[in-house]
Structures are given as structure tokens and as C-alpha cells.
Amino acid sequence: MASRKRSGSGSKRPKEKVVHIYELLCHGEDLKRQGTQFWEEFFLLQPNMEVLESELIKLNSEQYAIAKSNIVQLFTECISMLSSSNGKRMMNALQTICVFIHVLFRKQSRAVSGILSTCDKSEEEMKSLLSRLNDMLCDDVVDSPKDPCLKILLIIVSGMDNVNDNHLIEFIVGQSLFEAFKKILSDSTLRNQHGHDVVTLLTILVNYRKHENSNPYIVELSLLADELALNGYGQVISYVLTMFCKQHMLNLTELPSSSSWFSSLSNIVGNMFISEELCCRSQQIRANNALLLALYEAIHLNRNFITTLAHTQAESTPPSPCNTLSTSETPPDLSSAAILDASHYSTNLFVALFQYCSIVMQDHKSELSAINLKLCLLILTCIAEDQYANSMMHDINLTFKVTLHRAHMRHRKLTSEKVCKPQPLATTLLDLLVEFIVSHLLKKFPIELYLLCIGIIHRIIVYQKRCRVRLVYHWKELWTAMISLLKFLIYQEQNLIKRCNIFQLALQVINILNLFITYGDTFLATTNSYDELYYELNREEKVFCELHALVLRYASLQECEYKEDIIRLLNALSNILAIIKHFQIKIKEWLASQSLSTPTEQQILEQIQKNYDLTLKLQDSLDHYERYSERPKHVLFFVNLVKEVMIDTRKTVHYFVKQANKNNAFESNLSGHERSVSSGGLGATTASLTRTVTCVEINSTS
């Protein structure tokens, strides 16, 4: 490397040879004068992706017209070089293609002629590129460059915010890569290296024109029955969620004790730094959207995938790109977390998902977390509808110890996170849903999330009723949570009625209570549970009477947009009101006979046990629910979610490709392979060596 000249001497730094060639290409210089071996020698030079990208981006229409033939030839030679037996030439060609495709999308977004769009043989070239990438992905050679191949595919599929507008994906659809993806997911070594990229690719491809035409990737994923591939797909997702939970536990262990001076200072300062912390966590949560969407697609499309949910994860996997990102300059040493209790960490995808959801639920203020949480609840809805998934979750021989994280609220004090004893997964899921109910009764009420949450509970109870499964569970906590929800709806009626249908949600809650009343003998584990239910209904008599009065008031209105749900809710309340009236009379008679004014809980329970002599109406369709369908209710949600995944994937992949190029350049410089020219003459190179950054700023410009 030539020494730097003194400032003001008039001399410039020597220019890399490859940079000089880029300038010749973009200035339209005749490449034939460079000799017959020009391209073979050119692809031995380490690419400078930043310079090439900059040179291509700054071309205007007139400059591009001059350089067009050179640029098209460069792209053609890159594709030809993918068949080279020289690994260095092949790798350099792949890195150059990464720049081409990235620039193509950027220039298209600026309404400037694209690099490939004006090429007469662009379709043939793209087909040839995809065919060669497929061959390399399927290649069994150990040093086959699979990583840059996958990065090129990710750049292609994430090139535009709206996946359906990206016509280059048609080439990937035409050249099915599913077998190559399946092979990588089935091999533990390949999966550890490339599993995250493959699952992300599959997820985006499945969402391409999802509801318009026959998408072969949807068909292939739906029919996939290869156990190794399905388990590999699940392990990639499980690892991402587990690492997120593991990092959360590490953060908790680093918090100072409540008695420390720092804690006292924090109480004085208040919420000064909360926004920054929440923003960081929200970005980390958003980074998981791609693989959560992958989990949703697998569960939604493939019945065989359900079997992998409880599959024990025994092998280790290296960190994936999205989940090694942090705001610090040095990546966290996650291996040091081994000193923590192993029970804190997930052993299968079920456990990983439940624990992950409990963390996301704690963030009440972030819109990013709300989106992520809705996706989690949609996944849980699909799981709760599946017969086999329910059978696994209710299997008393399949128990797990799961740490469910709980939000800190003023009305309750938590000494520690809620660590469950080993129990069936259905019990843990119900605990998770109860926690959501009690922790999100906010002024900005997320009614859509509550409808999903209560819907999941309904599906679980319906499964128990239909299959006569008697789950040992503390049902009182569920009933108390649901009654608290009704109380909130009543007291916040004036604020909520203006923007949402509270009667639909109240109807769902009442129908679940009616399920317990009408069919509880088929799934409640003990008769004492029945007594406790009737006790809670009578103890909260005021809530149900106020709800009835509220419904009557709106039912009397001539015009009300929620009329149908109001009438249904009015009918659904009949049995509960009858139970309350019946037992209130019996209890008052007994109190009068005993000359008592304040009975104990045990005395009330005794009176309930002695006075079950009441007749109730048989209500229809309590165990029926509308099967989950993505269309039409959730289509817009997924369109927006996929758009976010595209943006995040594009930025993340571009960042890692550039970092890999810099690292390769650094290694090349150390080896002495790179030389420089100034005004065409040979000389030493000057390489800009930058340290590796450990965080991709999701909200930065691409």
C-alpha cells in the first residue's frame, strides 16, 4: 500500500485497479482494447461493492445509454463466470451480481431505466442465473458458495416493498428452488449455516401473489411431508425465539436490585429513559416478524408441521442474522448464559412460542409489538383449531416447565416471574391467555387482540368438551379474569362504544361461561370446580346485572349498528341471571334462618351444593365457532406485515453482503493479492478498513 501523501502536496491516493475498471465501464470505454483475457483477469480482482454501487446509481439516462453495452456485458460475464472452476472468480462474480440486482431495484424505484429491463436477452440471462444458483444450492461440494447464492435470492425477492409488484420473482417461481431449500433444511450442518435465509426466502415466496394465482411454493409447502425438512424448518424458528427469550433473561439478571442506590435514583428520574429502552426492544421484536410469519405459514398450510411443535430441540444452532443484532458495539456473549437455570430456555417450538408471547405481551405502548403480538395470537388460533395439536397440548404425559414473564402493574407486585411446574402445554397456554386478559385493560383498548385471545380460549374449551378431556386447571383464575374484562367493558362503555363493538366481545365471554354451566360436567376435573363457578357468578352478581342493564338500554334504541350482537348477548345472559337469582334467594333465606348477615365463603359454597334444583335453558351452538380464515378479515394485516418483512430483509441482507465484501477485501489485502493503479498505472492499494458493526438500524434509509 502506498504511503499517504502530505495534505496540500497535490497528490492523490492510488486508486484500486478494480475501481479504475468500474470507471472505464461506466464511461463507456471500449473493453475490446483491454485484451482477450480481460474478463478472466477482472474476476480475479476483489470487488469493491460500495464503489460499484455508487458508480451505477449515479448514472443518469444519457450516461447509461453510453455505458449500456459495457454494463450488460459485465452482467452477462458474471453469469458465465458462475460456471468457472476457479472458486475466487465464481465468488467475485456472485458479489458483483448482488450489486447489480440491488441497483436494479433502486433505479426502478427512481423511474430511471433499469439495468436489465433494456437488455434484449434479460429473460434468458435471468433464467440462466436462477438455474446456476439452483445447481450451486444443490451441490454437495463442501465449499460450494451457498451463502452468496441465497443472498442474491433474498435481494431479488425483497427488492420491492410490495411483493406482488416484483416481477423478477416470476423467474424464481419458474425455476423451482424448493428441492434445494428442502435439502438444506434436512441437513443439520447446512441448516445451521443457511437455515435462517432459506426459511425467510420460503416465507416471502409463499406470499407472492398468494391469493391470485397458483403459487408452486404454497403447494410444495402444503404437501411437504419430509420429517427431516419439517423438523429443520421448525428448529430454525425455535432457535430464533429461544435466543430472544434467552437474551431477555440475561437482561433481567443484569438489572440492579431494588435496594441499590441506582434503583433509588431510577425512581427519582422516573420514565426518562424508558422510551429509548422500549424502542430498542420494539426493534428487536420487529426483527422476529419474518420467522414468526414463517411459523404461521407452516401451521396454516401444512398439517404435517403440527407434529414438529412438540419435537425436542437437541442440537445447537449458530445465531441467525436478525437475532444477533444489538445496539452495543460488541456482540453479547450468549454462551455465558449457560450459568443460568436451563429450565428458563425452550426445549421445543411450543414452549419457545409461549415464552416468547409472554415477553411480547409486556409491551403495551409499541405499535410494532402490537403487530407482532397479533401474529402470535393468529398462530395460537390456528394451533387451537387443530385436533392433533390439542391432543399434544392436553397430553398429561407430555409436560414442560415454562417461565411465563408477567407485566409489572400497580395493582399487583411480582417478586419473580411466574415459573410453572411441569404441566401439560394446554395449562401453560391458558395461563398465558389469562395473563393477557388481566394486563391489557387499557384506555387504548386492543379489542381485536382480545377477540383473538377469547377465541383461542373458546376453541380450547370446545376441544375439551367434545373429547371429554378433564384438564386439571385452576379455572377460577380464568373466570375471574373474564369477569374483570366484562367489568372493564361496562365501566368504559362510553369511551369504547364510539370505536368498537364491545357487545361482540362480551358475547364471546358469556358464551364461554355458558359452556362451563351447560357442559362443565363433561370436562371439569372435579365437582368442586362447578361449585366454584357458581360461587364466582354470585359473588360478581353486580357485574352481570349491570351488563344486563347496559344491553337492555342499547336494545331499546331504534338505531344501533350492533343490534344483532346485542340481541344475542341478551339471550345468552338468561341462564347466568337465572342462576344468580336462584341462589341469591336461597342464600338470603338461609341467612335469615341462621340470623347471619356476613356468611363465609365455605358457608356460601355449602348452600350452592345443596340448592342445584333449578332449570336452565339449553342454548344452541355454544361449542361452534367460525373456523379461522385469512381472507377477507386479515388480508390487509398480512399485506402490511409482509411489506415490513421485505423492508427489513432488504436492509439486513444488504448490510451483511457489504460487510462480507469488506471482510473479503481485508483478507485479500493481507494476502497481498490486491494491487492498485493511478491513471492506469500499477501501484499499491489503499483499502478502507472499517470495523464490523453489530447493529442494523431498521428505520434507517436503505
Side-chain angles (χ1 to χ4, degrees):
M1 180 181 295
S3 60
R4 184 191 298 269
K5 301 295 182 181
R6 289 184 179 179
S7 176
S9 64
S11 299
K12 297 181 179 179
R13 283 186 177 221
K15 191 180 297 181
E16 290 179 76
K17 184 176 181 179
V18 72
V19 171
H20 177 67
I21 294 175
Y22 292 156
E23 293 176 349
L24 293 178
L25 289 169
C26 293
H27 293 161
E29 296 288 337
D30 186 2
L31 299 180
K32 294 179 181 178
R33 295 187 299 178
Q34 303 297 324
T36 56
Q37 299 298 313
F38 171 74
W39 291 112
E40 283 75 9
E41 295 176 359
F42 171 77
F43 283 107
L44 287 175
L45 299 174
Q46 174 63 37
N48 188 321
M49 297 180 66
E50 287 191 352
V51 173
L52 178 57
E53 180 180 337
S54 175
E55 290 292 327
L56 292 173
I57 284 291
K58 70 184 181 183
L59 291 177
N60 57 33
S61 298
E62 292 76 15
Q63 292 169 333
Y64 175 71
I66 296 173
K68 172 186 172 183
S69 59
N70 283 350
I71 294 174
V72 170
Q73 185 176 0
L74 174 58
F75 183 70
T76 302
E77 294 294 338
C78 284
I79 296 175
S80 299
M81 205 56 62
L82 298 184
S83 301
S84 172
S85 59
N86 185 296
K88 183 172 180 60
R89 289 193 177 103
M90 184 187 300
M91 182 65 71
N92 291 342
L94 287 168
Q95 291 186 359
T96 306
I97 290 172
C98 286
V99 178
F100 265 96
I101 304 298
H102 177 72
V103 171
L104 167 65
F105 286 111
R106 289 192 63 180
K107 292 183 78 68
Q108 280 186 340
S109 65
R110 297 182 183 182
V112 182
S113 298
I115 294 173
L116 299 180
S117 59
T118 56
C119 178
D120 296 334
K121 298 182 179 180
S122 60
E123 288 195 13
E124 289 76 8
E125 298 291 0
M126 284 300 297
K127 289 178 181 178
S128 176
L129 171 62
L130 268 298
S131 176
R132 189 67 191 102
L133 293 179
N134 185 50
D135 292 341
M136 285 188 280
L137 289 175
C138 293
D139 201 337
D140 291 326
V141 178
V142 176
D143 58 351
S144 179
K146 290 181 171 56
D147 185 69
C149 292
L150 291 169
K151 292 299 188 292
I152 290 174
L153 292 172
L154 283 169
I155 291 172
I156 292 175
V157 300
S158 65
M160 303 184 74
D161 292 353
N162 187 341
V163 64
N164 292 338
D165 292 340
N166 188 347
H167 299 297
L168 285 187
I169 296 182
E170 289 291 345
F171 293 102
I172 302 179
V173 172
Q175 173 69 60
S176 179
L177 303 169
F178 193 83
E179 287 301 318
F181 295 160
K182 187 171 74 171
K183 183 175 182 180
I184 292 174
L185 291 174
S186 301
D187 185 284
S188 60
T189 302
L190 294 177
R191 180 174 63 251
N192 291 347
Q193 297 171 349
H194 313 296
H196 189 279
D197 287 349
V198 168
V199 172
T200 303
L201 270 169
L202 268 174
T203 304
I204 295 175
L205 290 170
V206 163
N207 281 276
Y208 176 67
R209 302 193 183 280
K210 191 175 187 180
H211 303 297
E212 297 178 21
N213 302 314
S214 177
N215 183 329
Y217 289 94
I218 293 179
V219 177
E220 294 277 12
L221 184 59
S222 301
L223 299 178
L224 181 61
D226 187 306
E227 186 176 354
L228 288 176
L230 288 172
N231 285 336
Y233 188 104
Q235 286 183 16
V236 171
I237 300 168
S238 179
Y239 182 81
V240 169
L241 301 184
T242 300
M243 290 303 295
F244 179 88
C245 299
K246 189 174 183 180
Q247 186 61 54
H248 180 78
M249 291 298 298
L250 282 172
N251 293 340
L252 291 179
T253 61
E254 293 170 1
L255 293 176
S257 63
S258 59
S259 59
S260 68
W261 67 269
F262 185 84
S263 178
S264 301
L265 179 61
S266 298
N267 292 332
I268 297 173
V269 174
N271 296 329
M272 185 179 297
F273 303 107
I274 287 180
S275 59
E276 182 179 349
E277 179 185 350
L278 290 177
C279 180
C280 176
R281 186 166 69 169
S282 295
Q283 296 295 350
Q284 293 171 343
I285 289 172
R286 173 169 171 166
N288 295 320
N289 280 346
L291 291 202
L292 268 181
L293 182 58
L295 176 58
Y296 164 81
E297 297 295 356
I299 292 174
H300 187 222
L301 295 174
N302 191 312
R303 291 293 304 278
N304 299 318
F305 184 76
I306 294 295
T307 61
T308 71
L309 293 175
H311 180 78
T312 301
Q313 311 298 321
E315 60 183 280
S316 61
T317 311
S320 61
C322 289
N323 285 275
T324 54
L325 306 181
S326 72
T327 53
S328 62
E329 293 189 355
T330 306
D333 183 9
L334 298 179
S335 61
S336 64
I339 60 174
L340 297 177
D341 186 353
S343 66
H344 289 159
Y345 308 125
S346 311
T347 53
N348 65 33
L349 193 45
F350 260 133
V351 176
L353 179 62
F354 294 167
Q355 187 170 342
Y356 175 83
C357 289
S358 72
I359 297 173
V360 177
M361 282 179 184
Q362 296 181 66
D363 193 349
H364 300 154
K365 299 179 181 179
S366 168
E367 184 64 25
L368 294 178
S369 297
I371 292 170
N372 193 272
L373 180 53
K374 178 178 177 180
L375 181 56
C376 289
L377 292 174
L378 290 175
I379 292 170
L380 294 177
T381 299
C382 294
I383 290 174
E385 284 189 2
D386 188 88
Q387 184 84 0
Y388 185 69
N390 266 306
S391 67
M392 286 193 294
M393 289 195 296
H394 288 84
D395 188 346
I396 60 174
N397 297 313
L398 193 64
T399 61
F400 296 91
K401 184 178 180 181
V402 187
T403 300
L404 293 182
H405 303 271
R406 306 174 72 193
H408 292 265
M409 297 184 293
R410 292 180 180 178
H411 67 274
R412 69 176 185 187
K413 292 186 178 181
L414 302 177
T415 55
S416 63
E417 304 298 336
K418 183 170 183 177
V419 181
C420 300
K421 61 182 180 180
Q423 60 186 7
L425 291 165
T427 303
T428 303
L429 178 55
L430 286 171
D431 285 339
L432 177 69
L433 298 172
V434 167
E435 174 63 20
F436 174 83
I437 293 174
V438 301
S439 62
H440 286 72
L441 300 174
L442 312 167
K443 186 175 182 180
K444 189 177 179 181
F445 186 64
I447 188 168
E448 185 179 19
L449 300 183
Y450 268 95
L451 288 169
L452 290 172
C453 176
I454 299 299
I456 296 167
I457 294 173
H458 186 213
R459 286 161 172 78
I460 295 172
I461 303 302
V462 168
Y463 169 80
Q464 295 175 8
K465 178 258 180 184
R466 290 177 179 174
C467 298
R468 296 182 175 270
V469 176
R470 299 185 184 275
L471 183 70
V472 178
Y473 185 69
H474 37 274
W475 294 109
K476 183 177 179 180
E477 290 189 15
L478 174 63
W479 301 328
T480 302
M482 291 195 299
I483 294 172
S484 296
L485 173 57
L486 292 176
K487 190 183 303 183
F488 177 84
L489 296 179
I490 294 167
Y491 295 158
Q492 295 295 323
E493 167 240 333
Q494 292 296 327
N495 296 324
L496 297 176
I497 199 68
K498 300 173 185 177
R499 56 187 179 87
C500 60
N501 183 359
I502 62 174
F503 303 103
Q504 180 187 10
L505 180 57
L507 178 62
Q508 282 194 357
V509 173
I510 295 299
N511 280 342
I512 292 176
L513 292 175
N514 279 326
L515 260 174
F516 281 98
I517 293 169
T518 309
Y519 302 106
D521 59 319
T522 64
F523 61 86
L524 289 175
T526 65
T527 55
N528 289 339
S529 297
Y530 232 118
D531 300 336
E532 289 178 354
L533 170 62
Y534 279 55
Y535 175 84
E536 288 301 314
L537 295 178
N538 279 275
R539 188 173 69 87
E540 299 290 356
E541 166 202 5
K542 182 180 178 182
V543 175
F544 295 102
C545 291
E546 289 180 346
L547 178 61
H548 183 241
L550 174 66
V551 175
L552 284 176
R553 177 156 49 87
Y554 279 92
S556 64
L557 298 178
Q558 292 297 326
E559 294 184 4
C560 183
E561 59 179 317
Y562 309 129
K563 199 77 169 182
E564 184 178 345
D565 286 327
I566 290 171
I567 299 302
R568 292 170 61 194
L569 179 56
L570 190 61
N571 294 330
L573 278 168
S574 60
N575 277 347
I576 294 178
L577 294 174
I579 291 171
I580 292 173
K581 182 178 180 181
H582 171 79
F583 283 102
Q584 288 296 312
I585 294 174
K586 296 294 183 181
I587 292 171
K588 286 178 181 178
E589 290 177 351
W590 180 81
L591 289 174
S593 66
Q594 300 296 316
S595 300
L596 293 175
S597 59
T598 308
T600 64
E601 178 180 340
Q602 186 58 41
Q603 289 172 329
I604 297 295
L605 285 171
E606 289 176 359
Q607 293 308 307
I608 288 174
Q609 293 167 355
K610 295 177 180 178
N611 292 283
Y612 274 112
D613 54 333
L614 75 161
T615 303
L616 301 175
K617 295 179 181 178
L618 184 60
Q619 297 183 341
D620 298 328
S621 304
L622 290 177
D623 60 348
H624 291 175
Y625 52 82
E626 182 181 354
R627 296 285 297 181
Y628 171 76
S629 176
E630 187 176 312
R631 302 179 69 183
K633 189 182 299 184
H634 303 291
V635 170
L636 183 59
F637 168 77
F638 282 104
V639 168
N640 293 330
L641 180 65
V642 172
K643 180 178 179 179
E644 287 188 357
V645 169
M646 304 291 276
I647 294 171
D648 296 347
T649 300
R650 179 166 64 245
K651 292 176 181 177
T652 305
V653 171
H654 187 236
Y655 167 80
F656 279 102
V657 167
K658 289 174 70 174
Q659 288 303 119
N661 178 250
K662 290 178 181 178
N663 293 339
N664 290 339
F666 178 56
E667 294 173 1
S668 180
N669 289 328
L670 291 180
S671 302
H673 292 314
E674 186 80 4
R675 289 180 171 83
S676 305
V677 297
S678 179
S679 302
L682 295 176
T685 184
T686 55
S688 175
L689 305 179
T690 58
R691 61 182 174 79
T692 301
V693 183
T694 60
C695 178
V696 175
E697 178 55 58
I698 297 239
N699 287 330
S700 65
T701 56
S702 59

